[in-house]
Amino acid sequence: MKQTLTLTAGSSNKFWSVETTGCDVTVRYGRNGTKGVSKTTRFATPAEAEAAAVKQRDAKIAKGYEPVDAGAGVGGHPAAGDRTASVPSDDVTPVSPLPPAVEASAPAAPDTSSAPTVFDAADRDDIGLIGTSPFTDGYRIENIPVAAFSNEAADVDAERARFESIAHGVGLQSWNIKSAAWVFDEAPFVDVPPVAVAEAWQMWLFSDPLPNREASAALEDVLTPVLAALNGVEWVLDQKNASTLGAFASRALMPLASDELASAIAARASEPLPPVMVAYDSSPSDDFVHAAILRPGDTEVIAALDAWNPRDHAHGNPSVHDHLGHLLLYPTVPQRVAAFRRWGLEFAQDTKTTTLSAWIHATGREGLTCILDSLEAGSAPFAEGLVELAGAMLTGPGAAAFFIDALTRNGAPAARAWLTRHLGSAARADLDRAGAEALAPFLRELSPTALTGARRHAAPQVARVIDAIADDRALPDVACPQLSETLDAVGASATPTLRQLVTRLPRLRVGEGALGTDETARLLAALAQGLDAPERASLAGALEVLDTASADAFATALLGAWLSSGGPAKSSWMLTEGARLGDLRHVAVLAPLVERWGTTKAARAKQGIDALGANGSDAALSHLLAVTTGRGKPALRAHAKTRMDEAAAARGLDRCQLADRVTPTFGLDAGPRVFSYGERRFAASLDASAKVTVTEIDADDAPVGAPRTALPPARAGEDAEQVRAVKADFSLFKKELTKAVATQAKRYESAMMSGYRWLMRDVVDHIVGHPVLGPVAAQIVWARYEFGIVTATFRFVGGETMDVDGGRVEVPQDAEVGVVHAVELTPQQRDAWILTMLTAGGAAPFQQCERPIFTLTEEGAENVQLPGVPTREIAATSLVGLLARHGFERGPSVDAGLAFQYGLRAESADLTILITHGGIPTSAPHEHPPIRILNVVPVRGLLDPRELDEPEAFGERLVPWKHVPASVTSEVLAMLDATLATAPDEERS
């Protein structure tokens, strides 16, 4: 074969050609208009040579090279004026944050209909790492790279041309600090270069035009030891001045060592290991790394690393930059990734481009997930720089999942740019359904011909997405008069930007057709402009004609478009208002994002909570419920409770009643959920302890073998792909169901602490028979209450109410019942119920009958101010955490910020317990000074957190503690007792 390709996009102006002659493959490359550089490689057979040529050609096409018209010269086409080689710009700010989804016009769609298959199924995990060489292979200590001295004559001019054709500058911005590095289209060196070539490359790398420049990790740390080795210096024994990465990379030269030097290396490797840390300042020891490099996989080295954790010597999460050498000493990729997580490392603001490059070379696809974890920790420009730099090194389908995941994080614009450039590779990736659907906006840009071409080579999940796009395009436009009238009434008009956005979204189906582009753009305009309550209700009625599944897909895609644009505040309506069109799929995407934002982006998390509330489906509200009972920030829990209260009021319920009605069943309504490998099937359900278990079943659904906690691996003859997909489904099912059980357990515990009461009919109708709530409720002791007094205790057994001795208890449907608190039982009752529940098996979801109890004396109960409130100062973070765990909700600050209010609603008594503590200055949590509790008083009425105020403001509404349920009093006293846990011994006594 013989073919020439060219790349002229952006500032690139170069060619690449390949020709096979028998067993030889000759590659020539360089700037257009020049002769370029050629290299010939011999293979064992002509067939192998042809295959190698095709693979190299296809890799170039995947990176954007295009075939040259027939008759073009060797240089691809004549030189266009005096155009210079690609020169990196001083501006290293990542790609423009403007998303394709909101730009006025889209780039021309590439026509891939005639493109060859670049990656087949065997290549789907290949990340397409550019620039791999024996030197970068040195970062993988499990193998000693094999290198040889180049036998080619030193042609510095030719090398300069090659340097200009394959070298590109990329930038990484850390706050206001910019750095830049070289990345390469291919490995700069396959063999150890001649001295003159190595010296020339070193000069080019450290000369203009890069500001604050670094070479690539493959060269910055290699050229110096290469030159030293070529000049006879025993570099491997004298590494005091070598960088850590240089010490790894220079291992490529070990096979070239003389016998004498090899003996010296062996002797050095037998010496005692230095300590991992420098004792006098707790810094990482380069001496340890340099010595351990000579002993790859040594058990003593691994044991030393396993026993050490840099987090013990750092404030906050330690940086990868400081500890990369230690990570690379582990002999396998799983060990490196596990250590990264165990040590709590992150790619922090001091990350060098060389660090990122070395990590990717050393860990491949598995290591990319660690980069993802760091994207939310730093600034958006820094995250975009990380993603852009990774994108400059990766081209294969195995990297697609990383960039798809990055679409929902800081760095999204750079991820979007990579997916646009490498859509062919991404379409061939082995993605799950969500990942494949994330490619839909990019695929919708393709022409029908190009889409057909992409379909021929796409992975199965992506092929299904392409089929759905083709089906969408075939739908006729339909009119929707009621919607049109509503949009006219609110003054919604389509804009070019919104029309362009619509082309990237799935169509909204109505009957046998779909809304047209203009009508859909007008709908988006209505959502964007903000509607009042009557207008919103009118629009909701008009939208009832939409197909639910297509509206759900539309809302999910709209959310994705906003995220991939970096989540600009001015377009946040795509998150909050777009959610009104969503259903289960939209919620499944949004809910985990809200959970993640809760730890890093409080403002966005609040918007996500608003979006879940706007969605309003049972699934969305169940996730809001999880936020209210989780361990997130108190302000976010309070915000979620407000949205839950609004949703409950709209249905004529309270928050707890709503929670009973919106908890999902996870497909367990009719019995266990079945997961099938084909012939082998498995039934998953909750056991007596409300834990998820799975049991193999036969053709008659009878159990085979004992229950287990996970699905087994595939057997010989079973479809490995099907098994893998089923196991992924089960893992998600188990994760979500386990979280739901934990949420309900926390909710029932809160009900016990606050004295919440149900009507028995509601418990029977919505809890006992529910496949998730029922198993949790069966592990709890319940009580019937009359005038606030316990008159009977019972538990649920097979839907029946049984007393502590197993006798049946009659509970009228209109009776008030609740989760009984230990303080409401006699000592004999507590002991009897503890024994009964233990004998019944299972595990209690929270501490109930054995719970410590606290009471007030009769004299103390006559007071409004709770007696015995600790007067000592308490660590601010400890007190706030205790208040949150005991169900208190934060209100506003009072007295010019010198005090804060927290409230706990005791609904059965129509009371709110008000706690006031001293103010907390705005500072980092570990810098908060201790604070003091000022007041603990009951207030008549169920107060919203926003209504909390100083006790004096409530006047006659303040009541003595004798009116507070015993369970609430006990919990408040237990919390105050816990504040003494860290007090000095003399104070506790």
Side-chain angles (χ1 to χ4, degrees):
M1 68 170 292
K2 180 177 182 180
Q3 189 165 10
T4 299
L5 311 175
T6 185
L7 181 65
T8 56
S11 60
S12 298
N13 182 31
K14 53 190 177 180
F15 74 92
W16 182 92
S17 68
V18 62
E19 181 177 4
T20 57
T21 306
C23 296
D24 293 338
V25 175
T26 300
V27 172
R28 183 181 297 276
Y29 47 87
R31 290 173 51 200
N32 280 315
T34 68
K35 182 180 179 181
V37 180
S38 67
K39 184 171 183 178
T40 299
T41 305
R42 172 155 291 185
F43 292 86
T45 66
E48 290 183 14
E50 186 76 13
V54 169
K55 184 174 182 179
Q56 292 182 64
R57 178 203 63 187
D58 292 347
K60 289 294 181 183
I61 291 174
K63 290 187 285 186
Y65 280 77
E66 297 177 349
V68 175
D69 292 338
V74 174
H77 53 71
D82 189 25
R83 185 175 182 181
T84 59
S86 174
V87 177
S89 167
D90 285 348
D91 180 11
V92 295
T93 303
V95 297
S96 166
L98 257 185
V102 295
E103 290 170 354
S105 61
D111 188 345
T112 60
S113 59
S114 60
T117 302
V118 177
F119 299 99
D120 58 23
D123 298 315
R124 66 187 178 190
D125 293 333
D126 180 16
I127 62 174
L129 185 57
I130 298 172
T132 299
S133 71
F135 303 117
T136 58
D137 288 344
Y139 302 135
R140 297 193 291 270
I141 201 168
E142 62 270 27
N143 296 310
I144 293 183
V146 178
F149 286 111
S150 173
N151 58 9
E152 296 184 4
D155 186 343
V156 176
D157 290 338
E159 280 298 305
R160 177 65 187 184
R162 192 167 75 89
F163 172 81
E164 292 176 349
S165 71
I166 68 172
H168 308 280
V170 296
L172 184 61
Q173 180 169 326
S174 173
W175 296 109
N176 61 340
I177 301 173
K178 296 180 179 179
S179 63
W182 294 107
V183 295
F184 306 95
D185 286 348
E186 58 192 40
F189 305 122
V190 176
D191 301 323
V192 179
V195 174
V197 171
E199 288 176 339
W201 271 79
Q202 191 172 49
M203 177 183 67
W204 300 328
L205 289 168
F206 291 95
S207 61
D208 56 6
L210 290 180
N212 299 323
R213 50 195 168 272
E214 304 167 11
S216 72
L219 295 179
E220 177 188 24
D221 300 292
V222 171
L223 285 173
T224 298
V226 165
L227 288 169
L230 294 174
N231 287 291
V233 179
E234 294 184 356
W235 52 271
V236 78
L237 297 178
D238 183 15
Q239 297 190 6
K240 291 295 183 183
N241 297 319
S243 70
T244 297
L245 292 181
F248 278 97
S250 60
R251 294 172 64 249
L253 301 176
M254 285 187 181
L256 309 180
S258 65
D259 292 342
E260 181 180 359
L261 183 54
S263 298
I265 293 172
R268 174 64 63 87
S270 65
E271 295 177 359
L273 274 175
V276 180
M277 302 293 293
V278 178
Y280 63 83
D281 66 355
S282 298
S283 297
S285 169
D286 285 340
D287 288 345
F288 173 83
V289 175
H290 292 160
I293 284 173
L294 303 177
R295 302 163 60 169
D298 184 86
T299 55
E300 185 181 354
V301 172
I302 304 304
L305 292 171
D306 286 344
W308 171 74
N309 194 322
R311 191 153 37 174
D312 298 336
H313 310 279
H315 298 291
N317 288 343
S319 169
V320 181
H321 175 68
D322 292 332
H323 303 289
L324 182 61
H326 297 90
L327 289 171
L328 301 190
L329 289 173
Y330 278 103
T332 68
V333 170
Q335 286 175 305
R336 291 170 204 148
V337 172
F340 184 105
R341 301 193 186 286
R342 186 172 68 250
W343 296 347
L345 301 181
E346 64 181 31
F347 288 91
Q349 302 289 339
D350 64 347
T351 297
K352 282 189 171 185
T353 50
T354 52
T355 305
L356 185 66
S357 174
W359 175 253
I360 293 176
H361 276 90
T363 59
R365 187 182 187 188
E366 293 87 343
L368 294 178
T369 58
C370 298
I371 302 173
L372 278 174
D373 296 340
S374 300
L375 294 181
E376 302 294 333
S379 66
F382 172 72
E384 289 179 26
L386 279 180
V387 177
E388 185 183 18
L389 181 59
M393 291 184 277
L394 305 171
T395 62
F402 165 77
F403 293 100
I404 288 171
D405 202 334
L407 288 173
T408 65
R409 305 171 185 260
N410 283 343
R416 191 188 63 246
W418 187 92
L419 290 166
T420 300
R421 290 195 308 270
H422 300 287
L423 184 55
S425 288
R428 294 171 174 83
D430 184 27
L431 303 171
D432 59 18
R433 176 182 173 182
E437 290 176 347
L439 292 180
F442 303 92
L443 293 165
R444 287 192 182 95
E445 292 185 54
L446 301 180
S447 67
T449 302
L451 195 65
T452 301
R455 174 66 173 81
R456 289 203 302 269
H457 310 301
Q461 288 282 16
V462 179
R464 282 191 277 272
V465 171
I466 292 175
D467 291 341
I469 293 173
D471 291 344
D472 249 8
R473 289 178 173 178
L475 292 173
D477 290 354
V478 296
C480 186
Q482 183 182 355
L483 177 59
S484 296
E485 291 173 6
T486 303
L487 295 177
D488 289 340
V490 301
S493 60
T495 65
T497 297
L498 291 176
R499 288 191 186 94
Q500 179 61 30
L501 173 57
V502 169
T503 65
R504 298 167 182 265
L505 302 173
R507 299 187 68 186
L508 288 167
R509 301 193 178 201
V510 180
E512 299 299 320
L515 294 183
T517 299
D518 279 357
E519 198 75 341
T520 307
R522 292 181 68 208
L523 171 59
L524 292 180
L527 296 176
Q529 70 190 36
L531 305 177
D532 58 28
E535 290 173 332
R536 189 174 290 131
S538 176
L539 181 61
L543 293 176
E544 289 180 358
V545 299
L546 297 180
D547 173 74
T548 301
S550 74
D552 192 15
F554 184 89
T556 306
L558 188 64
L559 171 62
W562 181 71
L563 291 170
S564 69
S565 71
K570 66 180 181 180
S571 302
S572 60
W573 62 269
M574 297 166 71
L575 165 67
T576 53
E577 296 302 313
R580 299 182 186 280
L581 299 171
D583 198 32
L584 295 177
R585 286 172 60 191
H586 178 265
V587 172
V589 172
L590 177 58
L593 293 176
V594 173
E595 184 177 353
R596 187 207 304 163
W597 296 336
T599 61
T600 58
K601 298 180 179 181
R604 183 174 288 186
K606 280 191 174 182
Q607 290 179 320
I609 288 170
D610 289 340
L612 288 171
N615 179 285
S617 66
D618 286 358
L621 296 177
S622 71
H623 284 286
L624 272 186
L625 174 64
V627 177
T628 67
T629 59
R631 295 187 177 182
K633 296 177 180 178
L636 295 180
R637 290 201 304 271
H639 194 65
K641 288 176 180 177
T642 299
R643 293 291 169 264
M644 282 288 288
D645 288 340
E646 292 171 352
R651 301 190 188 189
L653 306 170
D654 63 35
R655 189 194 309 160
C656 193
Q657 290 172 323
L658 178 65
D660 291 336
R661 289 156 173 78
V662 301
T663 299
T665 63
F666 296 92
L668 300 173
D669 311 62
R673 182 168 169 179
V674 176
F675 294 84
S676 176
Y677 284 2
E679 290 189 5
R680 281 199 298 167
R681 299 185 306 138
F682 306 88
S685 61
L686 292 174
D687 66 8
S689 299
K691 299 288 192 301
V692 181
T693 62
V694 61
T695 307
E696 185 174 355
I697 56 177
D698 61 20
D700 297 321
D701 294 342
V704 178
R708 54 199 306 161
T709 59
L711 289 174
R715 288 177 179 170
E718 290 180 329
D719 186 335
E721 288 298 313
Q722 179 182 354
V723 170
R724 188 169 67 88
V726 171
K727 292 184 73 172
D729 286 346
F730 173 76
S731 295
L732 180 60
F733 164 81
K734 180 179 179 180
K735 175 184 175 182
E736 294 299 321
L737 180 52
T738 300
K739 185 162 62 173
V741 168
T743 296
Q744 300 308 320
K746 180 67 176 176
R747 186 165 70 90
Y748 289 135
E749 184 180 25
S750 295
M752 177 192 71
M753 293 190 294
S754 65
Y756 182 83
R757 304 289 181 256
W758 288 264
L759 289 179
M760 185 62 179
R761 69 168 60 88
D762 286 340
V763 175
V764 173
D765 291 345
H766 302 291
I767 297 178
V768 175
H770 193 282
V772 177
L773 302 181
V776 179
Q779 303 301 314
I780 295 170
V781 180
W782 295 74
R784 178 186 176 186
Y785 294 85
E786 294 184 56
F787 304 104
I789 304 299
V790 174
T791 58
T793 57
F794 59 91
R795 68 188 181 104
F796 291 103
V797 181
E800 301 292 332
T801 49
M802 302 293 182
D803 64 18
V804 68
D805 298 317
R808 183 181 173 84
V809 178
E810 294 294 336
V811 183
Q813 291 293 292
D814 59 353
E816 282 194 349
V817 298
V819 180
V820 73
H821 193 285
V823 75
E824 299 171 315
L825 302 174
T826 66
Q828 294 78 12
Q829 287 176 315
R830 288 197 294 272
D831 291 342
W833 271 117
I834 290 172
L835 180 60
T836 295
M837 299 305 283
L838 285 174
T839 304
F846 54 86
Q847 198 177 34
Q848 187 181 11
C849 293
E850 65 276 24
R851 200 178 191 89
I853 60 175
F854 297 83
T855 58
L856 290 173
T857 64
E858 289 187 11
E859 181 181 359
E862 295 293 335
N863 294 315
V864 171
Q865 176 65 261
L866 184 69
V869 174
T871 58
R872 62 178 287 267
E873 291 185 326
I874 305 165
T877 51
S878 297
L879 179 57
V880 171
L882 283 168
L883 288 166
R885 285 194 294 275
H886 283 77
F888 282 83
E889 299 178 47
R890 179 174 168 173
S893 63
V894 295
D895 197 12
L898 297 179
F900 279 93
Q901 312 286 348
Y902 280 78
L904 173 68
R905 296 194 291 189
E907 300 192 36
S908 62
D910 192 33
L911 294 172
T912 300
I913 308 303
L914 178 66
I915 290 184
T916 309
H917 68 66
I920 302 176
T922 302
S923 59
H926 66 277
E927 297 174 350
H928 291 165
I931 54 178
R932 182 178 286 112
I933 296 176
L934 305 177
N935 296 291
V936 184
V937 297
V939 181
R940 180 69 63 190
L942 301 177
L943 301 179
D944 185 278
R946 292 168 292 187
E947 299 174 334
L948 301 181
D949 204 339
E950 296 177 276
E952 295 79 5
F954 294 104
E956 295 182 357
R957 293 176 65 183
L958 299 176
V959 297
W961 278 88
K962 67 182 180 181
H963 297 292
V964 178
S967 61
V968 177
T969 301
S970 180
E971 290 300 319
V972 172
L973 291 172
M975 184 199 67
L976 296 178
D977 181 72
T979 66
L980 301 176
T982 57
D985 291 341
E986 63 271 15
E987 191 168 341
R988 287 201 302 273
S989 62

